[in-house]
Amino acid sequence: MPEDARGRLVSDPFEYRVTKDRKVLVSRGGRLVVTVSGAAAERLATGIEAAEAAGDATAVQHLPARATGNYRRGNEKRATR
């Protein structure tokens, strides 16, 4: 997995919760970012569980980050007001 160049995944990590019906709720900063369901949720939950078992903290953060899509790429421009 690529490194987090700006260190954002360390200072502001993703949190996730797998529900009984195998949906994955991904949040960051206390706010729900995305709910993943179906086959994608099963792949995400399996990947997270495997990364946790291997002790790979970087992968545990990269998997939910990728599941969110275009979330905080770093190329957003600030509003000028």
Side-chain angles (χ1 to χ4, degrees):
M1 289 271 162
E3 291 296 318
D4 179 25
R6 295 178 296 158
R8 296 271 174 103
L9 294 178
V10 174
S11 65
D12 187 18
F14 281 96
E15 299 165 0
Y16 53 88
R17 189 176 72 187
V18 180
T19 63
K20 288 182 190 178
D21 57 352
R22 297 299 280 180
K23 289 183 181 177
V24 181
L25 307 174
V26 179
S27 59
R28 191 172 192 187
R31 292 184 149 184
L32 182 65
V33 177
V34 69
T35 302
V36 183
S37 61
E42 190 61 40
R43 284 191 305 271
L44 178 60
T46 303
I48 288 173
E49 290 166 359
E52 285 179 338
D56 189 359
T58 304
V60 171
Q61 285 301 304
H62 279 276
L63 289 169
R66 287 182 179 189
T68 61
N70 291 335
Y71 187 76
R72 290 192 182 179
R73 283 186 177 179
N75 62 351
E76 295 88 1
K77 293 184 180 178
R78 297 204 182 263
T80 55
R81 287 190 176 205

